[in-house]
Amino acid sequence: MTDRREITLKINGTEYTINVEARRTLVDAIREECGQTGTHIGCEHGVCGACTVLVNGNPVRSCLMFAVQAEGQSIRTVEGLQQGEQLHPLQESFMKHHALQCGFCTPGFLMLAVGVLEKNPDLTDEELSDLLSSNLCRCTGYENIMKAVRAGADGMK
Amino acid sequence: MKPASFAYHAPKSVDEAVSLLDELAPQDGRILAGGQSLVATMAFRMARPSHLIDINGIEELAKLSADHGVVRIGACVRHCAFDSDALTGATGALLRKVVRNIAHLPIRTRGTFCGSVANADPASEWCCVMAALDGVAVLRSPRGTRRVPAAELYQGVMATSMAEDELLIAAELPMLADDTRTGFIEFSRRQGDFAIAMALVTYRLEGTVIVEPRVAIGGAETYPRRISESETVLQGRAPCEATFVAAAEAAAVAIDPMEDINNTARYRRNLVRDLTQKALELAA
Ligand SMILES: Cc1cc2nc3c(=O)[nH]c(=O)nc-3n(C[C@H](O)[C@H](O)[C@H](O)COP(=O)(O)OP(=O)(O)OC[C@H]3O[C@@H](n4cnc5c(N)ncnc54)[C@H](O)[C@@H]3O)c2cc1C
Ligand code: FES
Ligand code: FES
């Protein structure tokens, strides 16, 4: 039995009307049906954070939500960070502080940090490392991600 | 992996959800709350429900309230709701300490208190809170509403006395007296992982001695529970090191620890002794 339906997803302000099965995860729909492949898929069970996007301003694991559940909500992905030619301060900061190597985890880290810093740019170092422990990076060793988010937070104030 | 096919239902009221569950539970229909446990197990194909009844659109279930001495947590109240000053008093302060140990922020923004209670993972922090404070699960089915105290709810690893057609509409916790001291600590190998063991203690002081002690242990046994042997040691004694050591020893002796490939029973017992003492020190 398949339960298919037409839904509209609003991603970075653009509406995508798509036809998906109920079992389609939000991350798959964002990538496959909406063609926004900046959001990555690692573990598909909530552990790695590669799929982190903002739903109504809050960071969520988009592999643990079904696309049908996101109908009518505002979704933000890494593609929405850049304004015209201007990178987001956090993207600039990731470049400057070498906070990425292969870049696989980067969209997830960026969305996680943007979601939290937009509400509270004054995180202590302890809160920051607690926050960033949510996502996995197999390359950088995290120190530079910490530095980049710390510096980027100042840029976002 | 990808979850298997299911039919999706999004009721707008509790009555509608209850009647859907009544109809679909016999066909392996299930409630979808935060999805932070269920969707992961579906991705592993360990769960393959034929129907999902998504309760996230039911407004009346999103309520968190505190009055008449009771904190009432609706089925859609998310973990992150407790990471704010919304709840005051000793119970609010305790829940704020505990919530930071549950997974990570992006999981706390979706996962629900009641979903954890229904899921009954032995290492669930909220299940430990329910056991420690003698919380009550409010269950609704076509037969009516049933109120089950935590001590009668948990039966084993991910096993509860809830019937398959019962919707957990809310969890209720008593508001602790303002002068209640609380301590919580858990141990896991990495930040945000499920705990190998945890200890939650509360007590008040009358003059110089401990009264109304509560000691609950989670993660170590198949379900969290209060440890009366440890509470008996605390009752009427001064909150000093000798008392805490004796109470911690009583807890370590009383439990029947689970074993798994990484953790022997002996290791868990030692951990419980240590964590109980630390939780008592944190509360002091
Ligand atoms: C990476 C990761 C780390 C985690 N770490 C922790 C941790 O450290 N501690 C911890 O406690 N949890 C942890 N979790 C689990 C998380 O807290 C879940 O949110 C929680 O266990 C389940 O709540 P939910 O709302 O997401 O429920 P769901 O996943 O939607 O449902 C879980 C189960 O409960 C049933 N159910 C849910 N709500 C109801 C209801 N109202 N009535 C009847 N049945 C219901 C569902 O049918 C399902 O069987 C972690 C999860 C992930 C992905
Ligand atoms: S892909 Fe979603 S958390 Fe790993
Ligand atoms: S940069 Fe390679 S995983 Fe993080």
Side-chain angles (χ1 to χ4, degrees), chain B:
Chain B
M1 259 177 27
K2 313 291 180 189
S5 288
F6 59 86
Y8 177 75
H9 309 266
K12 287 288 169 223
S13 70
V14 170
D15 288 344
E16 204 187 325
V18 169
S19 79
L20 277 168
L21 189 59
D22 176 43
E23 179 197 336
L24 301 172
Q27 307 165 41
D28 198 19
R30 288 231 231 159
I31 297 294
L32 173 63
Q36 304 301 291
S37 292
L38 182 55
V39 180
T41 45
M42 286 172 68
F44 282 120
R45 299 277 172 115
M46 278 165 11
R48 304 178 64 141
S50 54
H51 294 266
L52 283 188
I53 303 161
D54 183 352
I55 57 173
N56 286 283
I58 306 179
E59 239 164 77
E60 59 191 293
L61 291 179
K63 246 187 260 151
L64 172 64
S65 65
D67 42 24
H68 304 300
V70 176
V71 176
R72 189 179 162 97
I73 304 157
C76 294
V77 173
R78 318 230 177 239
H79 302 321
C80 60
F82 299 94
D83 203 0
S84 74
D85 299 330
L87 284 180
T88 53
T91 303
L94 172 64
L95 298 179
R96 255 193 308 286
K97 284 182 217 171
V98 172
V99 71
R100 294 177 187 163
N101 295 276
I102 302 175
H104 304 280
L105 181 110
I107 289 152
R108 299 198 289 265
T109 58
R110 295 285 304 164
T112 64
F113 187 103
C114 287
S116 291
V117 171
N119 200 47
D121 191 295
S124 153
E125 288 82 359
W126 292 144
C127 292
C128 189
V129 166
M130 285 287 281
L133 303 192
D134 296 310
V136 172
V138 185
L139 304 173
R140 178 80 59 84
S141 74
R143 298 178 297 286
T145 304
R146 195 161 74 96
R147 301 166 52 84
V148 181
E152 291 164 28
L153 186 67
Y154 300 118
Q155 299 186 326
V157 176
M158 302 181 124
T160 69
S161 55
M162 285 169 66
E164 62 171 12
D165 65 348
E166 281 182 314
L167 174 66
L168 174 60
I169 56 169
E172 293 180 350
L173 297 171
M175 281 165 81
L176 298 165
D178 281 343
D179 60 351
T180 307
R181 293 152 191 253
T182 62
F184 177 83
I185 187 164
E186 68 173 43
F187 182 78
S188 58
R189 291 225 158 74
R190 282 164 307 190
Q191 175 70 28
D193 276 11
F194 281 98
I196 301 167
M198 66 186 78
L200 193 167
V201 305
T202 77
Y203 65 84
R204 289 180 49 249
L205 284 184
E206 224 166 69
T208 58
V209 299
I210 293 173
V211 292
E212 295 165 29
R214 293 168 182 272
V215 176
I217 300 297
E221 299 183 297
T222 56
Y223 56 89
R225 64 182 177 106
R226 283 177 74 176
I227 310 292
S228 59
E229 292 86 342
S230 186
E231 295 172 353
T232 308
V233 171
L234 294 168
Q235 176 68 35
R237 304 242 311 243
C240 61
E241 196 189 338
T243 305
F244 293 167
V245 167
E249 181 59 29
V253 170
I255 59 161
D256 179 16
M258 289 186 288
E259 289 209 77
D260 57 55
I261 129 174
N262 295 314
N263 309 291
T264 61
R266 182 161 162 264
Y267 175 68
R268 273 212 168 81
R269 204 184 288 288
N270 288 336
L271 204 49
V272 163
R273 182 184 295 109
D274 233 48
L275 293 174
T276 306
Q277 187 176 337
K278 289 210 172 89
L280 285 162
E281 285 162 4
L282 286 168

Side-chain angles (χ1 to χ4, degrees), chain A residues 41-44 46-51 61 63:
Chain A
I41 307 180
C43 66
E44 281 191 318
V47 171
C48 73
C51 67
R61 304 287 209 227
C63 67

Side-chain angles (χ1 to χ4, degrees), chain A residues 63-151:
Chain A
C63 67
L64 294 186
M65 232 180 127
F66 294 109
V68 290
Q69 295 186 284
E71 167 121 72
Q73 321 222 23
S74 151
I75 301 162
R76 286 168 63 197
T77 66
V78 70
E79 287 91 346
L81 291 182
Q82 182 173 346
Q83 299 295 317
E85 289 297 292
Q86 186 63 46
L87 288 179
H88 188 280
L90 214 56
Q91 290 175 306
E92 293 281 2
S93 186
F94 266 59
M95 281 167 59
K96 182 161 169 226
H97 295 276
H98 304 287
L100 61 146
Q101 288 178 33
C102 78
F104 189 83
C105 65
T106 313
F109 272 105
L110 285 169
M111 297 320 289
L112 173 72
V114 166
V116 172
L117 294 175
E118 280 180 354
K119 289 184 195 132
N120 176 12
D122 293 312
L123 295 185
T124 63
D125 282 344
E126 200 188 331
E127 288 168 331
L128 199 58
S129 85
D130 182 51
L131 175 72
L132 297 176
S133 74
S134 142
N135 287 22
L136 297 180
C137 173
R138 297 289 79 162
C139 303
T140 65
Y142 303 100
E143 285 300 322
N144 286 353
I145 298 178
M146 282 281 285
K147 270 186 221 155
V149 175
R150 162 71 53 235

